[in-house]
Amino acid sequence: MIIRNVELETVCGITSKLPDHILPEIAFAGKSNVGKSSLINALMNRKSLARTSSQPGKTQTINFYNINGAMYLVDLPGYGFAKVPESERVKWGRMIERYLQGSKQLQAVFLLVDIRHKPSGNDKTMYEWIVYQGYRPIIIATKLDKLKRSQVQKAVKEVREGLGLGPDDRLIPFSAETKQGRDEIWQVMDELIGWTEPEQKGKA
Ligand SMILES: Nc1nc2c(ncn2[C@@H]2O[C@H](COP(=O)(O)OP(=O)(O)OP(=O)(O)O)[C@@H](O)[C@H]2O)c(=O)[nH]1
Ligand SMILES: [Mg+2]
């Protein structure tokens, strides 16, 4: 998709009613600090429309970014952040669950994991829960730039094994620094929502 227009359209807190969209949605889940908001910025070609931080726990609401009036990218709060009080974590967890369970327009869930680490217990639980909800998560292995090229293959294998992915399950290594992997992610999203660029006027 060629990005023409992006807008943070809806921000949902713990007590907010979730929007009843008619456009397709694609959501990004993963532990705090894994790079969800950075990935969304990269996909939108924006530096900082989605707020990012080196401190985990930055995104605390569900944020819906309208892309070209055609679809939404949905930035979720991260899980597994110890500094957030337990009561808050439970509320965020419920909010994320409520969204993933309830959205009628959700086409796919991308699950982000850090390419440098074996998936955590939380990552596995999230993966299994997304599957249980009837989705087939697409894994994005983030922070690819932090590895040497010679380390990538082994790291990808460890992530695949850690989550128990099958050979047909998709995993895309990605770097928000170098933008490696971005085109492949857009290709997958275009396929998911059945998007093709409208023919340019005057073109045969
Ligand atoms: N080197 C490198 N740093 C990254 C990459 N992606 C994200 N970061 C950094 O990791 C930190 C966290 O990124 P965010 O995008 O805010 O992470 P998040 O998953 O949205 O975090 P929460 O909102 O807290 O759940 C920031 O300091 C980013 O600059 C990447 O691909 N490479
Ligand atoms: Mg974030």
Side-chain angles (χ1 to χ4, degrees):
M1 192 178 290
I2 297 165
I3 308 296
R4 296 189 176 84
N5 186 42
V6 295
E7 183 193 350
L8 172 56
E9 192 180 284
T10 313
V11 173
C12 286
I14 294 167
T15 55
S16 310
K17 184 181 173 294
L18 289 161
D20 221 353
H21 285 142
I22 51 167
L23 296 176
E25 298 167 352
I26 291 183
F28 298 85
K31 74 165 193 251
S32 278
N33 210 243
V34 71
K36 300 174 292 297
S37 301
S38 302
L39 168 62
I40 289 176
N41 281 329
L43 292 171
M44 300 190 297
N45 296 329
R46 293 298 178 95
K47 275 213 171 77
S48 55
L49 185 57
R51 303 292 298 279
T52 65
S53 167
S54 55
Q55 303 290 322
K58 180 66 184 173
T59 309
Q60 307 201 352
T61 47
I62 301 184
N63 299 336
F64 295 82
Y65 293 89
N66 183 320
I67 312 295
N68 292 353
M71 67 177 295
Y72 293 95
L73 301 184
V74 183
D75 193 5
L76 297 170
Y79 50 76
F81 176 40
K83 277 198 190 147
V84 173
E86 173 70 16
S87 57
E88 283 293 298
R89 260 190 288 165
V90 170
K91 282 184 200 160
W92 287 4
R94 284 211 200 104
M95 172 169 70
I96 295 168
E97 271 180 29
R98 192 157 57 93
Y99 169 67
L100 293 178
Q101 249 169 8
S103 169
K104 295 188 185 70
Q105 294 301 337
L106 184 59
Q107 308 296 311
V109 184
F110 285 68
L111 177 63
L112 280 67
V113 294
D114 190 320
I115 196 163
R116 295 169 296 171
H117 308 302
K118 287 190 177 153
S120 67
N122 279 334
D123 291 331
K124 285 183 219 174
T125 305
M126 191 65 189
Y127 178 77
E128 280 155 20
W129 193 78
I130 296 167
V131 171
Y132 177 74
Q133 292 304 323
Y135 296 95
R136 191 159 183 197
I138 296 140
I139 309 303
I140 308 291
T142 65
K143 309 198 182 183
L144 175 60
D145 56 283
K146 300 253 193 189
L147 290 185
K148 294 198 193 101
R149 206 178 283 193
S150 59
Q151 299 172 306
V152 172
Q153 205 183 356
K154 182 165 174 267
V156 164
K157 188 164 173 265
E158 282 183 357
V159 171
R160 281 191 163 279
E161 282 173 4
L163 291 174
L165 301 188
D168 293 338
D169 291 320
R170 266 191 117 139
L171 180 151
I172 305 173
F174 171 76
S175 165
E177 293 285 317
T178 66
K179 312 294 186 279
Q180 209 180 326
R182 180 175 60 184
D183 291 351
E184 191 180 347
I185 297 170
W186 258 120
Q187 210 179 328
V188 172
M189 294 202 300
D190 284 344
E191 278 167 28
L192 282 165
I193 63 164
W195 177 264
T196 48
E197 285 296 332
E199 287 280 331
Q200 273 174 9
K201 279 190 187 147
K203 228 176 146 189

